[in-house]
Amino acid sequence: MLSWYPVPSCGGRVCVTDEPDLARKQMKNGPVIGYVGKDPDTLDGWSGVFYLIMDLEVLTPRYLELVWCRYYHLPLVIARTEDGILRELKEEDAPVLCRFYEEGGGDFLEEIPGEVRREGAAGVQAERLRIAAYIRHVYPVRGFGMYVLEQEGRVIGMAGFEMEEIAGESRIVMGYYVAPDKRRQGIARRICRLLLDYGKKEYEMEAVYLRVKKENQASIALAAKLGFKQWMPDSKPTDSDLLFRILPAWK
C-alpha cells in the first residue's frame, strides 16, 4: 500500500505506506507515516520510521500537519485566533524573547536561565541555542510546551505549559506574558482559556498549575477568572509564590 494524504494547511501531502522498506526510501523525499495495522507483531522491521499508526482513522488534518511540520522543521500552529496566531517557537524569535526578558518577563518567563539574559548579541545567540534545543527535545517528546503569539507578523506575547517539580511531583504549570503595549485588552485571558481547552482535548491534562508572585494582583485576578483556585501542597512551600490549580472541569 502506498497512499498520499493532503495537508490542507500547507498544500503539501504526506506518504502513508504499510511497507517498511518503502517507507525508509520515501523518507528521503518527504514526510512518511508507517501503517502497521493492529497486530503488534507487525512492529518488527519498522526501525528508523518516526511515525507509526495502527488505525487509519488517526490520519486527521491535524495529525498530518504535525508530521509535515516535524519533517520540515516548521513551527506547528496551535490555533488561529482573533488575537493572532499561536505557534511553536522558532530560532528567529530569539531577539524579541530577549526583549521580553528585559521587560520583566511576567511570572512565566522569570525562570529562564541566566545565561540567556545577557545583553546584546551574546544574549540573542544564547537564546537561539536554547530555542534550538527546545525544538529538538521538548516538542517531539512531550508534545506541548511554550508558544508565541504572533499578530500581523509581530510576536506580541508568549503562553504555554512547562513541567515543574512542585511538592515532590512533576506537574504541568501554565504561564503567559503579553507585551506592555498589548495589555488590558483581554489577550491573556483569551489565550490562557484557549490553552486550557487545548491541553484538555489534546493531552487529557488532569490538572494545571499556575505560579504567581504575591504582588501580581493582575495575575491573581486572571487566575480567578479562568477558574483556578489557590492551592497549598501538604509539604511546606519552598518559596513565597502563590500556587493555583485548576482541575479538568474548567469550562
Side-chain angles (χ1 to χ4, degrees):
M1 178 191 80
L2 176 63
S3 302
W4 296 92
Y5 285 75
V7 186
S9 60
C10 64
R13 50 182 200 162
V14 173
C15 171
V16 179
T17 179
D18 59 358
E19 301 177 40
D21 291 338
L22 182 57
R24 282 186 283 269
K25 180 179 179 180
Q26 288 291 334
M27 283 174 63
K28 300 175 183 179
N29 304 314
V32 174
I33 298 173
Y35 175 59
V36 301
K38 298 183 178 180
D39 182 356
D41 293 336
T42 60
L43 289 171
D44 295 338
W46 284 97
S47 62
V49 181
F50 302 128
Y51 293 93
L52 302 176
I53 61 172
M54 302 180 71
D55 194 327
L56 294 175
E57 291 184 1
V58 306
L59 294 174
T60 63
R62 182 69 177 173
Y63 183 70
L64 293 166
E65 182 181 15
L66 170 66
V67 174
W68 176 273
C69 288
R70 294 290 177 261
Y71 183 88
Y72 289 108
H73 306 289
L74 299 173
L76 180 68
V77 173
I78 304 305
R80 291 176 170 82
T81 76
E82 61 182 286
D83 297 305
I85 297 173
L86 189 67
R87 61 162 173 80
E88 294 177 343
L89 297 169
K90 56 184 180 181
E91 291 183 43
E92 291 79 3
D93 296 324
V96 69
L97 265 59
C98 286
R99 188 173 73 249
F100 286 169
Y101 307 149
E102 293 171 2
E103 292 170 351
D107 293 305
F108 187 37
L109 304 183
E110 287 176 356
E111 301 304 320
I112 294 299
E115 61 268 20
V116 303
R117 292 177 178 270
R118 291 176 292 183
E119 297 181 357
V124 172
Q125 179 60 22
E127 178 65 356
R128 287 184 68 98
L129 293 174
R130 189 188 71 84
I131 292 173
Y134 197 92
I135 292 170
R136 287 196 305 271
H137 302 300
V138 176
Y139 294 137
V141 176
R142 186 191 298 163
F144 56 83
M146 296 189 298
Y147 310 113
V148 297
L149 180 62
E150 183 179 308
Q151 188 180 82
E152 298 179 350
R154 175 196 169 196
V155 174
I156 64 168
M158 290 183 68
F161 302 107
E162 289 288 15
M163 300 302 298
E164 181 180 337
E165 185 172 325
I166 299 175
E169 293 186 25
S170 183
R171 304 175 192 265
I172 299 173
V173 179
M174 187 178 74
Y176 59 89
Y177 180 76
V178 177
D181 64 317
K182 292 293 182 178
R183 295 173 187 169
R184 298 182 179 84
Q185 300 178 29
I187 293 175
R189 173 177 51 80
R190 289 190 292 271
I191 294 302
C192 286
R193 192 172 297 281
L194 182 154
L195 278 173
L196 289 172
D197 291 340
Y198 176 77
K200 179 181 179 181
K201 178 181 178 181
E202 297 293 330
Y203 299 100
E204 299 181 349
M205 293 179 179
E206 294 184 357
V208 176
Y209 294 76
L210 187 65
R211 182 183 292 278
V212 180
K213 297 294 183 184
K214 287 183 177 180
E215 64 272 15
N216 193 335
Q217 295 301 315
S219 287
I220 292 173
L222 177 57
K225 290 179 181 177
L226 292 170
F228 281 86
K229 304 295 183 183
Q230 191 168 348
W231 178 78
M232 179 69 71
D234 294 333
S235 59
K236 185 178 179 180
T238 57
D239 53 49
S240 59
D241 293 351
L242 298 178
L243 288 171
F244 294 83
R245 180 176 66 174
I246 193 166
L247 297 174
W250 42 49
K251 281 193 175 181

